[in-house]
Amino acid sequence: MVVFYDPRSEFTPFFDRELEPLDGGPLPRVAIGTSSPFLARYEGSFFGLRAAVEPIVAADQPESLILYLPGIAKDRQGSVLMELERAGTCYEPQLRRLALNVLRQRFTDGQIDEMLRSSAVTYDDIVAFLGQGGQVASVLHTLFGGAQGEMLLTQWLASDARDETLLEKDALPELRKLIKVRLGLDLPADTSLPKARERTCRYVLVNEFRADLSCAPPKSVGMVPDPPGKEYAERIRDVAEGLRRRSPDVYPGLADSVEQELGLAGAGVEAAHLGGIDTFRFEEERLLAHAAALIAGKGYDAALAIIDARVRSFWVDRDVRRQAQWGACRQMAELGRTLEEIRSALGRVGSDPAKWLAAYVAEDGWHRADGLQRRLETWVAGMDDEPEAERALAVVRQEHEHLLRAMADGFTKAFRTSAWTIAGALHQTRIYPEVVQTMGGRVAYFLVDAMRYEMGVELARQIEGARELTVRAAIAALPSITPVGMAALLPGAAASFDVVDAKGKLAARIEGTELKESPDRMRFLKTKVPDAVEMTLGKLLSSSQAKVAKDIGTAPLVVIRSQEIDLVGEMDVDLIARQIMDSLIGNLARAVKKLAAAGIERFVITADHGHQFSIRKDDDMKTDSPGGVTLDLHRRCWIGHGGSTPAGAVRVPCAELGYRTDLDAVFPTGLGVFKAGGSLSFHHGGFSLQELVIPVISLRLAAGKPAAVPGIQVRIEGYPAAVTNRTFGLKLAAAGDLLATEPLVVRVLLMAGAEEVGRAGMAVGADLDRVTGALTLALGSEASVGMMLTNDACQSLRVVVLDSHTDSVLAESDELAVKLGI
């Protein structure tokens, strides 16, 4: 049942002429399509109408019925027909709205506007329009595949492919009419087609830009007329947005042409007055420069507000290099803000080193600054272009150095007051008996040279599916150098550990055995655990799964050694060091899963020492070494006999550190270093928090090969034939079967052989965890992913998509040659 209200009696001609009765009953049947409902008309009495239809609606199975009420508006509060309305459908059509939908099948909006301009247009008029006596059907409608209004104008502005046909069909007048009706731009009758496109494009883009400004527009845009009303401005924005969305390859040329013609980039529009839409390229560039200036002025929160609001725009989304610039700015601002938070907290810690340690390793503790700084430097090292926020980067680096110095000075004073001990802290020599041995069963024991605490925290986040996962802080044995720290991690060190002079060379001593080098330490380990197996991280990653399982056999202890951080750090090549430090974390996570697939379930991952890593290399960092009889000299420690204590250094008898020896150790304070070999950016050996605090990660991971991900298909598209830049883009698409409904969480990596050399750094259309690299992609969607090559020493690589939970390979590209600089 349909109750049809027609307040203006607009549809009376339809009921009078179009619906011929099929019979002569008191309520005639009429033909509508394939139906033959009864028709009841209001003739002055609602109750009479109700009485007329009562025999029909009272039946157990009522037949179809139309009640037509010409000249009557619906009473929404007390309608006599309310029961009938509720039982069926209440219909209140508007003639003009229906006419618009029907007429659009043949005519453009410009023509329709002319047809319906008069308020006296009737049903019969519309029938006439559609009949032989109506206007000529739209040429534009035919040429543009049925497109209407703003969609049609968007297609025309984006391409001149139909221009010749438009002229042949004499459709330019119709096009001008459409532009006037929909956009409010009145083009002269003698305007050529190319000129019409040029003027319309300028009109659209300038008015979108002008409406978005919060200040007076530049004088150069005064030649472009304003839209005559609000509805025109909304349509203008629809056309501009349609150009960006549907013709992304064409839009930059159109926008750049208008920007240059009107000199907008040099018009002095301040970034603060730019709105939320980047119509022109210069807007995005100016906003980035404004954010960078705020960072340089230490306005970190204000900069982040701009970055959060504007990092997504047409110009950024389609250009990986622009994404990289905004990403660098974000990381500068985040680091700067964190540095300020920590600086304000330093003065409240006091002189108890245990409180310094607690503040450093808390979940939201000071170690966050170390992680942010490392990721920023890795990001900058992976950019193909120099950061545009160069001054901001210099400021943040300087602020980071100031904080490191303040932390080092404050912690050193507190540490010295407590006689170089921290009450309640886990000491490095106790890690083996208190952590490794208490795991029970077979254990993989990772010894990672120079992995500082914040890197351990990030590594733990990357190991998906771990159970009983804990990250604890331990204090490295002094001096914080490899021969001491690696020996302190061995069995027996908790009961007997010394640092001694072994015939003129520094050595650690456990149970009377002097350990100078790595082979000495591994031989000693096997005297304690005869069936232990040890291998390097590189060997583990490059070996097949079957070979790994064969090599480790049933060994109760599998020791994995990694020296990558320390080796590249000491090379004094900052770029390579920053690249490898970042990729190592992902390689360690993959190594854990590889051992789990080979049958190992329990894991402990720790380090011999941490490190400081900065950028500045000025000579004012250096101080003379103590001289005397030198057993060992590093940038951050001297060990030997006699000599002098330089200014800015602290001498500590090694006996005060608990060693049975007459050796002395001298450490620079603050960020000072001795004039010794090695890097001025990467150094360790001293007693700053970054050097002394090491992570101890323990976890369990289900043994066995992870199950494949069912019902998921992933495609990698749009990657280059060869990698010629450190940053490049690709498209990632994921689809699943009917049983797969949850978003897909993956890691998109660049792999050279078995080693990670880069990963996703930016994404549009998917959520990217910038710390772990996990990318969440909705099934059935597509994402644009910006890849960053973080270790460019490789000759070739491939893009690999791994399931974040199982490490199963979901997709991979062909092998791509790396040809940087070409």
Side-chain angles (χ1 to χ4, degrees):
M1 177 165 52
V2 176
V3 183
F4 190 132
Y5 286 101
D6 184 8
R8 292 182 292 275
S9 301
E10 293 174 309
F11 294 92
T12 299
F14 171 77
F15 283 92
D16 287 345
R17 295 197 303 269
E18 307 295 340
L19 296 184
E20 295 183 4
L22 300 177
D23 57 38
L27 286 185
R29 290 181 182 271
V30 293
I32 297 183
T34 59
S35 301
S36 54
F38 287 103
L39 173 63
R41 298 179 65 148
Y42 172 78
E43 295 179 347
S45 170
F46 290 106
F47 291 103
L49 184 61
R50 281 186 55 174
V53 302
E54 182 66 24
I56 297 173
V57 300
D60 289 339
Q61 296 292 331
E63 295 192 65
S64 300
L65 173 65
I66 298 173
L67 289 83
Y68 176 56
L69 292 88
I72 300 298
K74 179 181 176 182
D75 183 349
R76 302 185 184 280
Q77 301 299 322
S79 173
V80 175
L81 305 179
M82 187 172 292
E83 285 182 308
L84 301 177
E85 294 169 1
R86 295 289 180 87
T89 298
C90 191
Y91 189 40
E92 301 174 88
Q94 295 180 11
L95 179 64
R96 283 178 171 271
R97 185 173 298 172
L98 287 179
L100 183 63
N101 293 333
V102 175
L103 292 170
R104 274 183 167 173
Q105 297 174 23
R106 294 190 60 202
F107 305 103
T108 64
D109 288 328
Q111 291 174 307
I112 295 169
D113 183 72
E114 291 294 327
M115 295 176 189
L116 302 181
R117 182 177 302 278
S118 171
S119 60
V121 172
T122 66
Y123 176 89
D124 289 332
D125 293 327
I126 294 166
V127 171
F129 291 147
L130 293 168
Q132 292 298 319
Q135 298 187 18
V136 177
S138 168
V139 174
L140 294 181
H141 187 275
T142 304
L143 285 178
F144 287 88
Q148 286 286 350
E150 290 74 69
M151 176 73 77
L152 188 154
L153 291 172
T154 299
Q155 292 182 22
W156 170 67
L157 287 172
S159 172
D160 61 3
R162 300 176 180 88
D163 282 9
E164 186 175 345
T165 308
L166 280 169
L167 293 174
E168 289 176 359
K169 301 289 186 182
D170 196 24
L172 185 51
E174 183 185 344
L175 178 62
R176 286 199 303 268
K177 183 181 292 185
L178 180 64
I179 293 169
K180 180 179 180 181
V181 168
R182 301 305 296 178
L183 304 181
L185 175 62
D186 193 0
L187 293 170
D190 60 351
T191 306
S192 67
L193 197 51
K195 206 67 177 176
R197 178 178 287 106
E198 178 186 327
R199 291 182 180 178
T200 305
C201 184
R202 181 172 59 213
Y203 174 81
V204 166
L205 299 185
V206 164
N207 276 302
E208 182 190 50
F209 168 70
R210 183 159 48 194
D212 212 28
L213 288 176
S214 60
C215 66
K219 291 181 179 179
S220 61
V221 306
M223 60 183 288
V224 180
D226 290 308
K230 181 179 178 182
E231 70 274 16
Y232 295 100
E234 291 173 353
R235 294 171 190 157
I236 285 168
R237 178 159 292 184
D238 288 343
V239 171
E241 182 57 34
L243 282 169
R244 287 189 288 269
R245 186 172 62 253
R246 300 184 185 92
S247 302
D249 295 330
V250 174
Y251 182 83
L254 299 176
D256 288 347
S257 177
V258 174
E259 176 186 322
Q260 293 163 15
E261 178 188 355
L262 300 180
L264 296 179
V269 180
E270 294 183 8
H273 295 305
L274 295 172
I277 302 172
D278 291 344
T279 304
F280 298 109
R281 190 187 302 270
F282 87 93
E283 296 181 77
E284 178 265 323
E285 295 171 347
R286 187 150 300 168
L287 281 160
L288 178 64
H290 182 46
L294 287 170
I295 296 170
K298 303 178 186 178
Y300 305 120
D301 286 333
L304 281 170
I306 291 175
I307 293 166
D308 287 337
R310 303 308 295 270
V311 69
R312 291 293 312 279
S313 80
F314 171 83
W315 303 100
V316 178
D317 287 353
R318 67 191 312 272
D319 188 338
V320 174
R321 294 193 179 206
R322 298 310 297 171
Q323 293 174 28
Q325 293 289 348
W326 281 92
C329 251
R330 176 186 291 281
Q331 296 190 62
M332 293 175 206
E334 289 176 345
L335 175 56
R337 182 172 63 180
T338 301
L339 295 174
E340 285 196 338
E341 292 171 0
I342 296 172
R343 186 182 298 108
S344 67
L346 286 181
R348 302 192 295 269
V349 183
S351 58
D352 182 355
K355 292 183 178 179
W356 282 80
L357 176 62
Y360 184 73
V361 302
E363 185 174 350
D364 61 345
W366 300 346
H367 71 273
R368 289 181 299 129
D370 298 332
L372 289 169
Q373 181 259 351
R374 172 178 54 80
R375 287 190 289 275
L376 169 62
E377 295 300 345
T378 300
W379 187 279
V380 171
M383 293 172 66
D384 291 296
D385 306 315
E386 290 297 317
E388 293 179 13
E390 187 175 355
R391 189 164 66 93
L393 180 60
V395 168
V396 171
R397 282 173 170 169
Q398 186 178 57
E399 291 298 297
H400 177 252
E401 182 181 315
H402 290 167
L403 179 66
L404 283 183
R405 181 178 291 109
M407 288 177 66
D409 288 339
F411 177 69
T412 298
K413 291 176 184 177
F415 199 29
R416 187 175 193 176
T417 302
S418 66
W420 316 111
T421 61
I422 300 179
L426 174 66
H427 193 270
Q428 190 175 37
T429 54
R430 303 206 310 271
I431 291 174
Y432 190 86
E434 294 186 18
V435 182
V436 179
Q437 286 187 312
T438 61
M439 290 292 289
R442 304 172 69 199
V443 179
Y445 189 25
F446 282 73
L447 308 180
V448 185
D449 202 339
M451 181 173 68
R452 62 185 181 186
Y453 183 79
E454 56 87 7
M455 298 176 76
V457 171
E458 183 171 322
L459 171 59
R461 287 185 58 183
Q462 290 200 24
I463 305 175
E464 298 279 356
R467 294 174 290 136
E468 301 173 25
L469 174 66
T470 62
V471 182
R472 285 171 280 184
I475 300 300
L478 280 168
S480 53
I481 56 177
T482 298
V484 175
M486 284 297 182
L489 295 170
L490 297 176
S496 170
F497 186 78
D498 292 297
V499 176
V500 298
D501 181 347
K503 298 180 180 179
K505 188 170 183 177
L506 183 72
R509 185 171 62 199
I510 301 176
E511 297 176 355
T513 302
E514 294 175 351
L515 310 172
K516 301 177 184 178
E517 305 288 348
S518 178
D520 302 330
R521 296 190 289 270
M522 291 302 101
R523 280 193 295 269
F524 179 80
L525 173 69
K526 290 187 178 183
T527 66
K528 295 293 187 180
V529 188
D531 295 327
V533 170
E534 62 92 13
M535 67 178 71
T536 64
L537 176 65
K539 180 182 178 182
L540 170 60
L541 291 175
S542 61
S543 297
S544 68
Q545 193 67 61
K547 186 171 187 339
V548 170
K550 180 180 178 182
D551 288 346
I552 66 176
T554 59
L557 181 69
V558 178
V559 178
I560 306 299
R561 295 183 293 109
S562 167
Q563 295 180 282
E564 285 81 357
I565 298 175
D566 209 39
L567 283 175
V568 298
E570 296 291 358
M571 288 169 59
D572 204 19
V573 182
D574 294 342
L575 177 63
I576 296 175
R578 282 178 276 170
Q579 292 174 341
I580 291 183
M581 283 182 196
D582 191 67
S583 59
L584 176 72
I585 296 174
N587 284 327
L588 286 168
R590 290 176 47 251
V592 168
K593 293 181 180 179
K594 194 164 190 176
L595 286 174
I600 302 294
E601 185 177 348
R602 297 165 179 84
F603 299 84
V604 176
I605 309 167
T606 190
D608 55 347
H609 53 76
H611 65 269
Q612 287 185 350
F613 187 62
S614 59
I615 297 300
R616 195 168 69 88
K617 295 185 174 184
D618 297 342
D619 286 341
D620 63 2
M621 297 173 64
K622 300 177 185 178
T623 186
D624 292 329
S625 63
V629 179
T630 301
L631 252 65
D632 209 332
L633 176 63
H634 282 66
R635 288 291 193 186
R636 291 280 290 167
C637 68
W638 171 93
I639 304 161
H641 299 279
S644 60
T645 305
V650 175
R651 180 178 291 266
V652 183
C654 288
E656 290 185 16
L657 302 176
Y659 305 139
R660 291 170 294 178
T661 182
D662 61 352
L663 292 172
D664 284 344
V666 181
F667 304 94
T669 57
L671 301 183
V673 295
F674 289 129
K675 295 176 180 178
S679 171
L680 274 174
S681 298
F682 172 91
H683 37 252
H684 57 87
F687 33 53
S688 69
L689 289 163
Q690 288 77 14
E691 296 166 280
L692 272 186
V693 181
I694 57 172
V696 183
I697 307 165
S698 58
L699 63 106
R700 296 183 67 178
L701 201 62
K705 188 175 181 179
V709 182
I712 299 293
Q713 299 86 41
V714 176
R715 298 193 321 275
I716 312 171
E717 300 173 342
Y719 52 84
V723 178
T724 57
N725 297 299
R726 291 187 178 89
T727 56
F728 63 90
L730 54 84
K731 298 282 187 182
L732 195 67
D737 59 22
L738 293 176
L739 299 179
T741 58
E742 295 297 320
L744 186 63
V745 183
V746 299
R747 285 195 173 88
V748 190
L749 306 177
L750 301 179
M751 303 291 295
E755 293 194 14
E756 178 183 328
V757 293
R759 63 178 179 174
M762 300 147 279
V764 177
D767 294 328
L768 178 67
D769 186 321
R770 291 183 292 112
V771 176
T772 66
L775 186 142
T776 303
L777 178 65
L779 295 178
S781 67
E782 183 179 85
S784 297
V785 182
M787 304 301 299
M788 298 194 78
L789 178 62
T790 55
N791 181 357
D792 58 18
C794 55
Q795 299 299 310
S796 65
L797 57 81
R798 65 193 188 282
V799 182
V800 179
V801 181
L802 299 177
D803 179 78
S804 187
H805 302 291
T806 67
D807 255 15
S808 299
V809 176
L810 302 178
E812 60 183 314
S813 72
D814 300 326
E815 198 76 14
L816 309 178
V818 177
K819 300 178 180 179
L820 298 180
I822 296 178

